[in-house]
Amino acid sequence: GESVGLHLPTLSVQEGDNSIINCAYSNSASDYFIWYKQESGKGPQFIIDIRSNMDKRQGQRVTVLLNKTVKHLSLQIAATQPGDSAVYFCAEMNDYKLSFGAGTTVTVRA
Amino acid sequence: ETGVTQTPRHLVMGMTNKKSLKCEQHLGHNAMYWYKQSAKKPLELMFVYNFKEQTENNSVPSRFSPECPNSSHLFLHLHTLQPEDSALYLCASSLGRVSNQPQHFGDGTRLSIL
């Protein structure tokens, strides 16, 4: 079946460095993608989204890149801070339904 | 403060109990969702409501019974649950049953079945 997946289940980053979280998707019909952040004890929080007619979108300290040729999505976090420690999920939308990956746990080292 | 509020935050119940989870959204959205989040697994969509009408039941066992009295409120009634039903249950809402709109989540109810 088709699924959304992340390349690595965990990522350890030095505070102040940039983080890159990767995601591979397999449904070429997906037209909308979202990154969520989930902190311990909380629900997924919307970070940034991107439509399939774009290949890059920037937010505050975050950038999402979409490569439709290889069905790859990434989230870049600039100057990673301790508060960025969380589980990050990518999600793809097809026919209004979201499919989620298993998540990458990001740990920021002081 | 989240625009989607779930209560209770934690629930412990026996297999023969009946309980309900509540979700309320203050975002003016028209679609609401129930998801199950188990450890080390992707979020699983359970039910979708759009303008109070159920549009999706993702093969969920009948011991889970959703109710959507209006576009702002969503319930999940629980009865005769199994230990494998222990999980975090998340409610989400979105503008509607449309593409290119994010879903916004509550903080979930942590359910433990004894």
Side-chain angles (χ1 to χ4, degrees):
Chain A
E2 295 171 326
S3 63
V4 180
L6 291 167
H7 292 308
L8 294 173
T10 61
L11 179 66
S12 180
V13 183
Q14 184 69 39
E15 182 179 357
D17 287 353
N18 296 335
S19 303
I20 300 177
I21 307 167
N22 295 304
C23 177
Y25 66 95
S26 57
N27 189 343
S28 57
S30 295
D31 55 7
Y32 178 60
F33 304 86
I34 308 174
W35 279 101
Y36 287 94
K37 171 187 180 183
Q38 187 173 21
E39 297 175 90
S40 179
K42 295 189 176 182
Q45 176 187 2
F46 171 86
I47 302 174
I48 192 167
D49 58 2
I50 188 167
R51 291 170 171 70
S52 59
N53 61 352
M54 304 171 68
D55 52 24
K56 181 179 179 179
R57 190 160 189 231
Q58 288 183 291
Q60 185 176 15
R61 278 202 310 119
V62 295
T63 300
V64 56
L65 299 177
L66 175 63
N67 185 331
K68 294 181 288 295
T69 302
V70 295
K71 299 193 191 72
H72 183 268
L73 191 69
S74 69
L75 178 70
Q76 300 177 1
I77 305 173
T80 310
Q81 302 170 357
D84 295 327
S85 292
V87 180
Y88 290 81
F89 297 93
C90 64
E92 62 176 323
M93 183 173 283
N94 182 30
D95 190 25
Y96 81 88
K97 286 185 283 190
L98 279 178
S99 298
F100 289 83
T104 291
T105 300
V106 173
T107 303
V108 181
R109 305 188 306 272
Chain B
E1 180 185 326
T2 179
V4 180
T5 304
Q6 290 187 244
T7 55
R9 292 296 315 279
H10 302 272
L11 179 62
V12 179
M13 57 187 286
M15 289 190 285
T16 58
N17 291 157
K18 288 184 182 181
K19 295 287 184 183
S20 296
L21 309 185
K22 179 182 176 182
C23 176
E24 182 175 1
Q25 58 95 2
H26 311 276
L27 300 169
H29 289 165
N30 298 308
M32 297 188 77
Y33 311 78
W34 279 118
Y35 286 87
K36 176 183 180 182
Q37 186 175 36
S38 304
K40 309 300 182 186
K41 292 176 67 176
L43 272 72
E44 302 172 52
L45 178 65
M46 300 175 71
F47 301 103
V48 180
Y49 278 82
N50 192 47
F51 288 97
K52 303 187 300 178
E53 300 298 320
Q54 187 179 126
T55 58
E56 186 91 14
N57 177 337
N58 200 23
S59 302
V60 180
S62 60
R63 58 185 183 269
F64 294 91
S65 175
E67 178 190 359
C68 188
N70 55 61
S71 292
S72 298
H73 294 86
L74 186 64
F75 296 89
L76 188 62
H77 304 299
L78 315 172
H79 176 49
T80 321
L81 295 193
Q82 303 300 309
E84 61 266 28
D85 297 324
S86 297
L88 181 68
Y89 288 85
L90 291 162
C91 173
S93 70
S94 68
L95 194 61
R97 188 173 174 263
V98 294
S99 293
N100 300 337
Q101 292 292 332
Q103 294 176 16
H104 297 268
F105 287 82
D107 286 334
T109 294
R110 174 69 61 186
L111 178 64
S112 299
I113 306 301
L114 300 178

